[in-house]
Amino acid sequence: MTQINPHYQKLQAGYLFPEIGRRVKEFSAQNPQAKVIRLGIGDVVLPLPEAVRSAIKKATDELGDPKTFRGYGPEQGYDFLREAIAQNDFQARGAKIEADEIFVSDGSKCDCGNIQEIFSLDSRVAVVDPVYPVYVDTNVMAGRSGHYQDGRYANFVYMPATAENNFKPAFPKEKVDLIYLCSPANPTGTVLDKKDLEGWVAFAKKHEAIILFDAAYEAFITDDSLPRSIFEIPGAREVAIEFRSFSKTAGFTGTRCAFTAIPKDLFAKNEKGEKVSVHALWHRRHCTKFNGVSYPIQRGAEAVYSAQGKKEVTSLIHYYMENARLILAGLQQTGLQAFGGIHAPYVWLKTPNGMKSWDFFDLLLSKSHVVGTPGAGFGPSGEGYFRLSAFGFRENILEALSRIKNY
Ligand code: MLT
């Protein structure tokens, strides 16, 4: 009989968010009268901006006319979008990233998950703990981990981020090759400042490691002096890859469009010790395994950078960040210790009386009919914490807070 990839059997239970969905479905089936408020997975609720919708419609009409019809597009994305990204997201902030260093894709979850395959299976992986589970699970699937024991996979380097260190992890003590960083962080909502990022870039240079920088939530940073891209830091071009997404920023979770920036100055080495361009490897991988994001969606993403698009996106972000502010203040008023929510659409709270994260999840669901995400699902240092997402309608956020307060 055909054998499976044995590494899949090291994975713990199901992926976090489907597991939450399963529990909520079960609860709703048993309690059909309960009006459940979902602040678990960070999924947007507000509609796509008008500028985006009209660009998608216009592009769809082009596809209905033989004179403007397009078939396969470039795998890395159309130049019009890559140029808009390079100019607006990087060059406008002094980060030197060129259009041909941008790879447009269908999601930064996919890119964060797939990027590991261009690196050696011997690469030592370092993750912040708690962390977006995709970084860990995809490296387990690939075979870089040992077995799971006491909440951790052997061979991975966990960098705890807890209230004790302001959710900013210390540098690893052992040799690591791939360092996953997320800022603003999912799940803790912590943002790394310029000094923090300079430290990481210097560390990666010194130890010849590569930083995989997930900036999917950069648009939620409310202080403009904070870096939004690791490429705002001198030297980062030689040590980092950055992942970005239109999902949370512009409401593309269902529409799908994201991108990854890989500078041409970034090199890794082959088994002979020769330098190999990481950009060239990812280019090769992208051409082989991906056929591009659809033309109408790329036109929709381009419209995010139009004057009207920027205005509409800003208002979406303000809406969610006002939710975050209300959640943070509301929880703090109840006496709960809560963090994040200032530069990120997530609030990270300490569970009361040292409750386990999943017990708190069950309690909140059964008593308040509010769904959040148990911190333990993001890693062992997330135990005893809980995440609430600010991606919801205002009335639901207020209702959820009032139920939590009443309980
Ligand atoms: C989350 O809730 O952490 C995110 O929605 C997950 C994702 O973006 O894949």
Side-chain angles (χ1 to χ4, degrees), residues 46-72:
L46 297 176
L48 282 174
E50 164 63 28
V52 170
R53 293 199 316 272
S54 32
I56 293 176
K57 283 184 203 155
K58 185 163 165 279
T60 308
D61 287 342
E62 283 176 42
L63 298 184
D65 181 338
K67 289 198 279 306
T68 47
F69 175 77
R70 299 178 189 229
Y72 288 128

PDB file of all heavy atoms in Angstrom, residues 46-72:
ATOM      1  N   LEU A  46     -16.778  43.762   6.844  1.00  0.00           N
ATOM      2  CA  LEU A  46     -17.245  44.910   6.047  1.00  0.00           C
ATOM      3  C   LEU A  46     -17.018  44.624   4.567  1.00  0.00           C
ATOM      4  O   LEU A  46     -16.058  43.949   4.194  1.00  0.00           O
ATOM      5  CB  LEU A  46     -16.503  46.178   6.461  1.00  0.00           C
ATOM      6  CG  LEU A  46     -16.734  46.628   7.906  1.00  0.00           C
ATOM      7  CD1 LEU A  46     -15.886  47.841   8.237  1.00  0.00           C
ATOM      8  CD2 LEU A  46     -18.210  46.929   8.164  1.00  0.00           C
ATOM      9  N   PRO A  47     -17.900  45.151   3.709  1.00  0.00           N
ATOM     10  CA  PRO A  47     -17.799  44.813   2.277  1.00  0.00           C
ATOM     11  C   PRO A  47     -16.569  45.420   1.599  1.00  0.00           C
ATOM     12  O   PRO A  47     -15.952  46.352   2.117  1.00  0.00           O
ATOM     13  CB  PRO A  47     -19.085  45.397   1.690  1.00  0.00           C
ATOM     14  CG  PRO A  47     -19.599  46.359   2.683  1.00  0.00           C
ATOM     15  CD  PRO A  47     -19.081  45.959   4.029  1.00  0.00           C
ATOM     16  N   LEU A  48     -16.262  44.875   0.430  1.00  0.00           N
ATOM     17  CA  LEU A  48     -15.137  45.380  -0.368  1.00  0.00           C
ATOM     18  C   LEU A  48     -15.379  46.845  -0.704  1.00  0.00           C
ATOM     19  O   LEU A  48     -16.508  47.228  -1.031  1.00  0.00           O
ATOM     20  CB  LEU A  48     -15.062  44.613  -1.690  1.00  0.00           C
ATOM     21  CG  LEU A  48     -14.456  43.228  -1.698  1.00  0.00           C
ATOM     22  CD1 LEU A  48     -14.636  42.604  -3.085  1.00  0.00           C
ATOM     23  CD2 LEU A  48     -12.977  43.279  -1.347  1.00  0.00           C
ATOM     24  N   PRO A  49     -14.326  47.660  -0.669  1.00  0.00           N
ATOM     25  CA  PRO A  49     -14.489  49.081  -1.023  1.00  0.00           C
ATOM     26  C   PRO A  49     -15.042  49.244  -2.443  1.00  0.00           C
ATOM     27  O   PRO A  49     -14.770  48.423  -3.323  1.00  0.00           O
ATOM     28  CB  PRO A  49     -13.061  49.621  -0.944  1.00  0.00           C
ATOM     29  CG  PRO A  49     -12.313  48.664  -0.094  1.00  0.00           C
ATOM     30  CD  PRO A  49     -12.957  47.333  -0.273  1.00  0.00           C
ATOM     31  N   GLU A  50     -15.786  50.337  -2.627  1.00  0.00           N
ATOM     32  CA  GLU A  50     -16.385  50.644  -3.929  1.00  0.00           C
ATOM     33  C   GLU A  50     -15.310  50.709  -5.030  1.00  0.00           C
ATOM     34  O   GLU A  50     -15.492  50.185  -6.128  1.00  0.00           O
ATOM     35  CB  GLU A  50     -17.161  51.966  -3.775  1.00  0.00           C
ATOM     36  CG  GLU A  50     -17.555  52.691  -5.046  1.00  0.00           C
ATOM     37  CD  GLU A  50     -18.509  51.898  -5.903  1.00  0.00           C
ATOM     38  OE1 GLU A  50     -19.267  51.081  -5.350  1.00  0.00           O
ATOM     39  OE2 GLU A  50     -18.466  52.081  -7.143  1.00  0.00           O
ATOM     40  N   ALA A  51     -14.176  51.345  -4.712  1.00  0.00           N
ATOM     41  CA  ALA A  51     -13.101  51.477  -5.717  1.00  0.00           C
ATOM     42  C   ALA A  51     -12.642  50.098  -6.184  1.00  0.00           C
ATOM     43  O   ALA A  51     -12.385  49.879  -7.372  1.00  0.00           O
ATOM     44  CB  ALA A  51     -11.926  52.250  -5.127  1.00  0.00           C
ATOM     45  N   VAL A  52     -12.576  49.167  -5.268  1.00  0.00           N
ATOM     46  CA  VAL A  52     -12.122  47.804  -5.584  1.00  0.00           C
ATOM     47  C   VAL A  52     -13.186  47.092  -6.422  1.00  0.00           C
ATOM     48  O   VAL A  52     -12.893  46.479  -7.459  1.00  0.00           O
ATOM     49  CB  VAL A  52     -11.834  47.022  -4.280  1.00  0.00           C
ATOM     50  CG1 VAL A  52     -11.589  45.549  -4.551  1.00  0.00           C
ATOM     51  CG2 VAL A  52     -10.660  47.636  -3.529  1.00  0.00           C
ATOM     52  N   ARG A  53     -14.425  47.219  -5.989  1.00  0.00           N
ATOM     53  CA  ARG A  53     -15.513  46.533  -6.706  1.00  0.00           C
ATOM     54  C   ARG A  53     -15.619  47.030  -8.139  1.00  0.00           C
ATOM     55  O   ARG A  53     -15.760  46.251  -9.073  1.00  0.00           O
ATOM     56  CB  ARG A  53     -16.843  46.732  -5.988  1.00  0.00           C
ATOM     57  CG  ARG A  53     -16.890  46.039  -4.653  1.00  0.00           C
ATOM     58  CD  ARG A  53     -18.301  45.833  -4.143  1.00  0.00           C
ATOM     59  NE  ARG A  53     -19.178  46.980  -4.289  1.00  0.00           N
ATOM     60  CZ  ARG A  53     -19.305  47.963  -3.384  1.00  0.00           C
ATOM     61  NH1 ARG A  53     -18.594  47.951  -2.281  1.00  0.00           N
ATOM     62  NH2 ARG A  53     -20.150  48.952  -3.590  1.00  0.00           N
ATOM     63  N   SER A  54     -15.544  48.362  -8.332  1.00  0.00           N
ATOM     64  CA  SER A  54     -15.698  48.820  -9.720  1.00  0.00           C
ATOM     65  C   SER A  54     -14.512  48.405 -10.577  1.00  0.00           C
ATOM     66  O   SER A  54     -14.690  48.084 -11.744  1.00  0.00           O
ATOM     67  CB  SER A  54     -16.014  50.314  -9.855  1.00  0.00           C
ATOM     68  OG  SER A  54     -15.423  51.022  -8.855  1.00  0.00           O
ATOM     69  N   ALA A  55     -13.318  48.333  -9.988  1.00  0.00           N
ATOM     70  CA  ALA A  55     -12.162  47.879 -10.779  1.00  0.00           C
ATOM     71  C   ALA A  55     -12.336  46.399 -11.159  1.00  0.00           C
ATOM     72  O   ALA A  55     -12.025  45.998 -12.287  1.00  0.00           O
ATOM     73  CB  ALA A  55     -10.887  48.074  -9.980  1.00  0.00           C
ATOM     74  N   ILE A  56     -12.863  45.611 -10.228  1.00  0.00           N
ATOM     75  CA  ILE A  56     -13.067  44.173 -10.520  1.00  0.00           C
ATOM     76  C   ILE A  56     -14.120  44.020 -11.632  1.00  0.00           C
ATOM     77  O   ILE A  56     -13.953  43.240 -12.577  1.00  0.00           O
ATOM     78  CB  ILE A  56     -13.492  43.394  -9.257  1.00  0.00           C
ATOM     79  CG1 ILE A  56     -12.348  43.375  -8.237  1.00  0.00           C
ATOM     80  CG2 ILE A  56     -13.933  41.970  -9.597  1.00  0.00           C
ATOM     81  CD1 ILE A  56     -12.689  42.714  -6.897  1.00  0.00           C
ATOM     82  N   LYS A  57     -15.201  44.817 -11.529  1.00  0.00           N
ATOM     83  CA  LYS A  57     -16.276  44.721 -12.539  1.00  0.00           C
ATOM     84  C   LYS A  57     -15.750  45.111 -13.912  1.00  0.00           C
ATOM     85  O   LYS A  57     -16.007  44.431 -14.903  1.00  0.00           O
ATOM     86  CB  LYS A  57     -17.437  45.643 -12.154  1.00  0.00           C
ATOM     87  CG  LYS A  57     -18.309  45.093 -11.045  1.00  0.00           C
ATOM     88  CD  LYS A  57     -19.477  46.034 -10.806  1.00  0.00           C
ATOM     89  CE  LYS A  57     -20.022  45.848  -9.407  1.00  0.00           C
ATOM     90  NZ  LYS A  57     -20.696  47.026  -8.890  1.00  0.00           N
ATOM     91  N   LYS A  58     -15.008  46.214 -13.933  1.00  0.00           N
ATOM     92  CA  LYS A  58     -14.481  46.706 -15.217  1.00  0.00           C
ATOM     93  C   LYS A  58     -13.562  45.639 -15.838  1.00  0.00           C
ATOM     94  O   LYS A  58     -13.650  45.336 -17.027  1.00  0.00           O
ATOM     95  CB  LYS A  58     -13.719  48.009 -14.968  1.00  0.00           C
ATOM     96  CG  LYS A  58     -13.237  48.682 -16.206  1.00  0.00           C
ATOM     97  CD  LYS A  58     -12.879  50.150 -15.908  1.00  0.00           C
ATOM     98  CE  LYS A  58     -12.055  50.736 -17.043  1.00  0.00           C
ATOM     99  NZ  LYS A  58     -10.644  50.400 -16.981  1.00  0.00           N
ATOM    100  N   ALA A  59     -12.707  45.058 -15.003  1.00  0.00           N
ATOM    101  CA  ALA A  59     -11.764  44.055 -15.507  1.00  0.00           C
ATOM    102  C   ALA A  59     -12.512  42.804 -15.977  1.00  0.00           C
ATOM    103  O   ALA A  59     -12.123  42.169 -16.956  1.00  0.00           O
ATOM    104  CB  ALA A  59     -10.762  43.700 -14.419  1.00  0.00           C
ATOM    105  N   THR A  60     -13.609  42.485 -15.294  1.00  0.00           N
ATOM    106  CA  THR A  60     -14.404  41.318 -15.699  1.00  0.00           C
ATOM    107  C   THR A  60     -15.019  41.573 -17.074  1.00  0.00           C
ATOM    108  O   THR A  60     -15.039  40.690 -17.936  1.00  0.00           O
ATOM    109  CB  THR A  60     -15.499  41.036 -14.650  1.00  0.00           C
ATOM    110  OG1 THR A  60     -14.883  40.969 -13.369  1.00  0.00           O
ATOM    111  CG2 THR A  60     -16.228  39.731 -14.920  1.00  0.00           C
ATOM    112  N   ASP A  61     -15.489  42.801 -17.281  1.00  0.00           N
ATOM    113  CA  ASP A  61     -16.052  43.140 -18.598  1.00  0.00           C
ATOM    114  C   ASP A  61     -14.989  43.055 -19.690  1.00  0.00           C
ATOM    115  O   ASP A  61     -15.265  42.606 -20.796  1.00  0.00           O
ATOM    116  CB  ASP A  61     -16.670  44.545 -18.573  1.00  0.00           C
ATOM    117  CG  ASP A  61     -17.979  44.548 -17.792  1.00  0.00           C
ATOM    118  OD1 ASP A  61     -18.555  43.440 -17.591  1.00  0.00           O
ATOM    119  OD2 ASP A  61     -18.419  45.626 -17.350  1.00  0.00           O
ATOM    120  N   GLU A  62     -13.767  43.446 -19.346  1.00  0.00           N
ATOM    121  CA  GLU A  62     -12.679  43.325 -20.347  1.00  0.00           C
ATOM    122  C   GLU A  62     -12.524  41.870 -20.781  1.00  0.00           C
ATOM    123  O   GLU A  62     -12.240  41.580 -21.935  1.00  0.00           O
ATOM    124  CB  GLU A  62     -11.343  43.786 -19.750  1.00  0.00           C
ATOM    125  CG  GLU A  62     -11.179  45.285 -19.663  1.00  0.00           C
ATOM    126  CD  GLU A  62      -9.864  45.622 -18.963  1.00  0.00           C
ATOM    127  OE1 GLU A  62      -8.831  44.985 -19.234  1.00  0.00           O
ATOM    128  OE2 GLU A  62      -9.884  46.534 -18.111  1.00  0.00           O
ATOM    129  N   LEU A  63     -12.727  40.977 -19.817  1.00  0.00           N
ATOM    130  CA  LEU A  63     -12.564  39.547 -20.137  1.00  0.00           C
ATOM    131  C   LEU A  63     -13.721  39.030 -21.000  1.00  0.00           C
ATOM    132  O   LEU A  63     -13.646  37.946 -21.573  1.00  0.00           O
ATOM    133  CB  LEU A  63     -12.450  38.709 -18.852  1.00  0.00           C
ATOM    134  CG  LEU A  63     -11.256  39.013 -17.958  1.00  0.00           C
ATOM    135  CD1 LEU A  63     -11.211  38.059 -16.769  1.00  0.00           C
ATOM    136  CD2 LEU A  63      -9.934  38.927 -18.718  1.00  0.00           C
ATOM    137  N   GLY A  64     -14.801  39.814 -21.060  1.00  0.00           N
ATOM    138  CA  GLY A  64     -15.953  39.414 -21.876  1.00  0.00           C
ATOM    139  C   GLY A  64     -15.882  39.942 -23.295  1.00  0.00           C
ATOM    140  O   GLY A  64     -16.816  39.754 -24.073  1.00  0.00           O
ATOM    141  N   ASP A  65     -14.791  40.579 -23.627  1.00  0.00           N
ATOM    142  CA  ASP A  65     -14.649  41.162 -24.963  1.00  0.00           C
ATOM    143  C   ASP A  65     -13.415  40.551 -25.624  1.00  0.00           C
ATOM    144  O   ASP A  65     -12.318  40.606 -25.054  1.00  0.00           O
ATOM    145  CB  ASP A  65     -14.485  42.692 -24.775  1.00  0.00           C
ATOM    146  CG  ASP A  65     -14.350  43.426 -26.107  1.00  0.00           C
ATOM    147  OD1 ASP A  65     -13.971  42.785 -27.113  1.00  0.00           O
ATOM    148  OD2 ASP A  65     -14.614  44.641 -26.117  1.00  0.00           O
ATOM    149  N   PRO A  66     -13.560  39.994 -26.819  1.00  0.00           N
ATOM    150  CA  PRO A  66     -12.390  39.335 -27.440  1.00  0.00           C
ATOM    151  C   PRO A  66     -11.198  40.276 -27.620  1.00  0.00           C
ATOM    152  O   PRO A  66     -10.052  39.834 -27.615  1.00  0.00           O
ATOM    153  CB  PRO A  66     -12.905  38.839 -28.793  1.00  0.00           C
ATOM    154  CG  PRO A  66     -14.298  39.323 -28.928  1.00  0.00           C
ATOM    155  CD  PRO A  66     -14.772  39.886 -27.632  1.00  0.00           C
ATOM    156  N   LYS A  67     -11.471  41.572 -27.739  1.00  0.00           N
ATOM    157  CA  LYS A  67     -10.353  42.516 -27.969  1.00  0.00           C
ATOM    158  C   LYS A  67      -9.520  42.737 -26.700  1.00  0.00           C
ATOM    159  O   LYS A  67      -8.341  43.071 -26.763  1.00  0.00           O
ATOM    160  CB  LYS A  67     -10.907  43.862 -28.453  1.00  0.00           C
ATOM    161  CG  LYS A  67     -11.467  43.794 -29.884  1.00  0.00           C
ATOM    162  CD  LYS A  67     -11.613  45.159 -30.523  1.00  0.00           C
ATOM    163  CE  LYS A  67     -12.874  45.906 -30.116  1.00  0.00           C
ATOM    164  NZ  LYS A  67     -14.155  45.204 -30.291  1.00  0.00           N
ATOM    165  N   THR A  68     -10.146  42.563 -25.547  1.00  0.00           N
ATOM    166  CA  THR A  68      -9.409  42.834 -24.290  1.00  0.00           C
ATOM    167  C   THR A  68      -9.271  41.583 -23.412  1.00  0.00           C
ATOM    168  O   THR A  68      -8.778  41.654 -22.288  1.00  0.00           O
ATOM    169  CB  THR A  68     -10.128  43.945 -23.486  1.00  0.00           C
ATOM    170  OG1 THR A  68     -11.514  43.648 -23.458  1.00  0.00           O
ATOM    171  CG2 THR A  68      -9.886  45.310 -24.078  1.00  0.00           C
ATOM    172  N   PHE A  69      -9.731  40.463 -23.949  1.00  0.00           N
ATOM    173  CA  PHE A  69      -9.647  39.214 -23.181  1.00  0.00           C
ATOM    174  C   PHE A  69      -8.183  38.882 -22.854  1.00  0.00           C
ATOM    175  O   PHE A  69      -7.293  39.142 -23.654  1.00  0.00           O
ATOM    176  CB  PHE A  69     -10.271  38.072 -23.989  1.00  0.00           C
ATOM    177  CG  PHE A  69     -10.112  36.740 -23.326  1.00  0.00           C
ATOM    178  CD1 PHE A  69     -10.907  36.390 -22.250  1.00  0.00           C
ATOM    179  CD2 PHE A  69      -9.116  35.851 -23.750  1.00  0.00           C
ATOM    180  CE1 PHE A  69     -10.735  35.166 -21.602  1.00  0.00           C
ATOM    181  CE2 PHE A  69      -8.936  34.632 -23.097  1.00  0.00           C
ATOM    182  CZ  PHE A  69      -9.755  34.299 -22.038  1.00  0.00           C
ATOM    183  N   ARG A  70      -7.962  38.289 -21.671  1.00  0.00           N
ATOM    184  CA  ARG A  70      -6.614  37.816 -21.303  1.00  0.00           C
ATOM    185  C   ARG A  70      -6.706  36.372 -20.806  1.00  0.00           C
ATOM    186  O   ARG A  70      -7.650  36.057 -20.078  1.00  0.00           O
ATOM    187  CB  ARG A  70      -6.030  38.634 -20.157  1.00  0.00           C
ATOM    188  CG  ARG A  70      -5.863  40.094 -20.489  1.00  0.00           C
ATOM    189  CD  ARG A  70      -5.315  40.799 -19.270  1.00  0.00           C
ATOM    190  NE  ARG A  70      -5.340  42.238 -19.477  1.00  0.00           N
ATOM    191  CZ  ARG A  70      -4.306  43.036 -19.243  1.00  0.00           C
ATOM    192  NH1 ARG A  70      -3.172  42.543 -18.796  1.00  0.00           N
ATOM    193  NH2 ARG A  70      -4.403  44.329 -19.431  1.00  0.00           N
ATOM    194  N   GLY A  71      -5.752  35.581 -21.139  1.00  0.00           N
ATOM    195  CA  GLY A  71      -5.680  34.206 -20.625  1.00  0.00           C
ATOM    196  C   GLY A  71      -4.722  34.162 -19.443  1.00  0.00           C
ATOM    197  O   GLY A  71      -4.820  34.990 -18.540  1.00  0.00           O
ATOM    198  N   TYR A  72      -3.773  33.232 -19.479  1.00  0.00           N
ATOM    199  CA  TYR A  72      -2.783  33.174 -18.403  1.00  0.00           C
ATOM    200  C   TYR A  72      -2.111  34.529 -18.224  1.00  0.00           C
ATOM    201  O   TYR A  72      -1.725  35.169 -19.201  1.00  0.00           O
ATOM    202  CB  TYR A  72      -1.657  32.187 -18.746  1.00  0.00           C
ATOM    203  CG  TYR A  72      -2.043  30.726 -18.704  1.00  0.00           C
ATOM    204  CD1 TYR A  72      -1.777  29.906 -19.797  1.00  0.00           C
ATOM    205  CD2 TYR A  72      -2.624  30.161 -17.579  1.00  0.00           C
ATOM    206  CE1 TYR A  72      -2.097  28.551 -19.772  1.00  0.00           C
ATOM    207  CE2 TYR A  72      -2.935  28.818 -17.548  1.00  0.00           C
ATOM    208  CZ  TYR A  72      -2.681  28.014 -18.641  1.00  0.00           C
ATOM    209  OH  TYR A  72      -2.978  26.680 -18.608  1.00  0.00           O
TER     210      TYR A  72
END
